[in-house]
Each structure stands twice: as structure tokens, then as C-alpha cells.
Amino acid sequence: LKRGQHQAKVHIAPVTAAQPDSLLADNTRWVVFSTASKFQVLTVAGRYRAEELLATALVPTTSDRWPVQITTINEGELIDQRLVQYDMIALCNVKQISSAEMDQLHAYVTNGGTLFLCPGDRIDIVNYNRSFAMSSEFGLPLQWQQVVEDFDVQIQLDKTSHAITKLFADNPTNGIEATPISKYVKCVASGADSVQPILILNNGDPLYLLGSVGSGHVFILTTSIDPSQNTDKWSDLGSWPSFLPLVHES
């Protein structure tokens, strides 16, 4: 069926019996129903191709029947968007957020939207603290600190009990713990219920967090999945097989 509103008719044919059907009009029923529209995602690219791996995970097929549709813009176009039409907005290596954009994003999330933060080598950490931390409109109990380079870190599933993590922990061959990671932004969360770690590194630093703001959610990835960072790649997470189920379960 095509997406949209549909009408269906159900009719019960009369059956020959000793006693005839005295209410033939009751043998027909009509029903009106709708098929869901596509899940709309807005990806905001801080650099050409910055959104590419996330977009591929969200739409891993060329079929027009896939239930997710992606619109990509550059970071300078965010302020002109009508955000309410999107189910999810992803900021991919976006350098900084203006106060007007912050008001726009905060209203969107508070009213039930989902924001996905994917940092990278372009982000202004001071601005991200002003935009997505305790002192911001979002009021998330976390602090964005410095970029950490550590080639010995790896994901450790037994450090958190989040439901998404459990899906990987219940599948020993998932391979997510072998994901190469060498750089990430150190984020320190206060431990409040409004921010939950989904993935944690073996040194205790969070790699993937979920924050609740009003009726909406903010997913925070602390490493980069920007494929355009050819000379300064932070991780292989975006191209790792486990990334697709991670994004879809989120």
C-alpha cells in the first residue's frame, strides 16, 4: 500500500440457510485507516560528507519502500528550517550552534523531537558546553571537556546495563567491542537520571549517551564518524558492522 489514508470494504456474502438473513445491510462494513509516513531525518553536515556514514546506517538500501527519508543541509542552513516536520535531527561535526539555533533546537526537543549529536575535529567545545550542558537551555548534567587521544581504549559492554547495550551483550559475536577508537571528546556526566550511558569505554569514559529533555531525547556520540577526516580519523565506528544495529535500536 502507498503511504497515506485508505478505505476498505468488507462484505459477508449471504449463505443459504433454513432461516434467511433478516438484516442484509449489516453484512457490509467500511473502515478508513492510514499507513504511516516515512520517518523524516534532517542531517546537518559541518563538512561535505560528514553525515554520510550515519545516513547510510539509517538508509542502508536504495529501495523507495524503506521507511526512513533523509534530508541533508549544511550548517549554515539550519536556522531556516522548519524543524517540527522532522522526527530526528543529527548534527554531524557541526562547529558551533548560535543562540537562535539553540532556541530552535531546544523547542524542537522539548516538544518530543530527537536530536543526535556527532562531534568531530571541527567542534568548538566551549560552544558545545554553552549549548548542550548544565548551564544551557537543555540543562543536561554533563560537561564537554578536552579531546582525548588513546589508542588503547575500547568499548566494554559490561560497564553499563542500558537496554540497548544488553542487545549487544546477548549476542557474543556482535563485534562492537572490537571497534577501533583512537580519539573522542571526554564528556563527564553527573550521574543524574536525565543522562544515561549506553556505551562506555574500558577507561570509564562514555562513548554514547542518552539525555532526556522535556518530551524529547538527545543522543550524544563522543567520537567522530565523519568519513571526511582522512588524515585525523577518530574511529571506525561509523563503518563498523555494529553501527547499523546501534543506530536502529536507538
Side-chain angles (χ1 to χ4, degrees), residues 196-240:
Q196 306 169 44
I198 298 175
L199 294 177
I200 298 180
L201 298 170
N202 56 345
N203 63 2
D205 289 341
L207 183 75
Y208 193 34
L209 298 146
L210 170 59
S212 298
V213 179
S215 300
H217 298 91
V218 181
F219 287 92
I220 302 167
L221 195 61
T222 64
T223 192
S224 175
I225 55 170
D226 183 349
S228 68
Q229 291 184 215
N230 295 323
T231 58
D232 186 28
K233 187 164 66 171
W234 287 19
S235 77
D236 287 333
L237 180 62
S239 56
W240 210 247

Side-chain angles (χ1 to χ4, degrees), residues 20 44 54 72 106 130 136 152-153 159 165 218 236:
V44 186
L54 177 61
T72 299
H106 181 258
R130 196 161 52 235
S136 72
D152 294 323
V153 294
K159 282 187 171 289
T165 316
V218 181
D236 287 333

Side-chain angles (χ1 to χ4, degrees), residues 35-58:
T35 53
S37 59
K38 286 194 175 186
F39 186 85
Q40 298 292 330
V41 178
L42 177 68
T43 55
V44 186
R47 178 193 284 131
Y48 175 64
R49 293 181 60 223
E51 83 299 337
E52 188 175 272
L53 295 179
L54 177 61
T56 299
L58 287 166

Side-chain angles (χ1 to χ4, degrees), residues 95-113:
K95 184 175 182 178
Q96 58 187 11
I97 307 299
S98 70
S99 57
E101 291 166 339
M102 180 49 49
D103 291 342
Q104 190 181 28
L105 288 169
H106 181 258
Y108 164 77
V109 174
T110 301
N111 289 314

Side-chain angles (χ1 to χ4, degrees), residues 94-199:
V94 170
K95 184 175 182 178
Q96 58 187 11
I97 307 299
S98 70
S99 57
E101 291 166 339
M102 180 49 49
D103 291 342
Q104 190 181 28
L105 288 169
H106 181 258
Y108 164 77
V109 174
T110 301
N111 289 314
T114 297
L115 182 62
F116 199 102
L117 301 180
C118 307
D121 60 345
R122 298 186 70 251
I123 75 162
D124 181 336
I125 291 178
V126 173
N127 178 269
Y128 270 56
N129 271 317
R130 196 161 52 235
S131 303
F132 307 112
M134 180 59 81
S135 59
S136 72
E137 286 185 68
F138 278 85
L140 292 170
L142 59 81
Q143 182 183 31
W144 298 72
Q145 297 188 352
Q146 74 280 4
V147 175
V148 174
E149 183 172 23
D150 187 343
F151 290 87
D152 294 323
V153 294
Q154 62 183 43
I155 297 168
Q156 191 168 334
L157 293 175
D158 62 6
K159 282 187 171 289
T160 178
S161 58
H162 194 278
I164 295 175
T165 316
K166 190 174 185 302
L167 294 173
F168 288 96
D170 290 344
N171 178 12
T173 61
N174 68 80
I176 196 169
E177 290 185 314
T179 309
I181 298 166
S182 57
K183 278 188 179 182
Y184 61 95
V185 180
K186 185 179 180 69
C187 278
V188 177
S190 70
D193 290 340
S194 58
V195 172
Q196 306 169 44
I198 298 175
L199 294 177

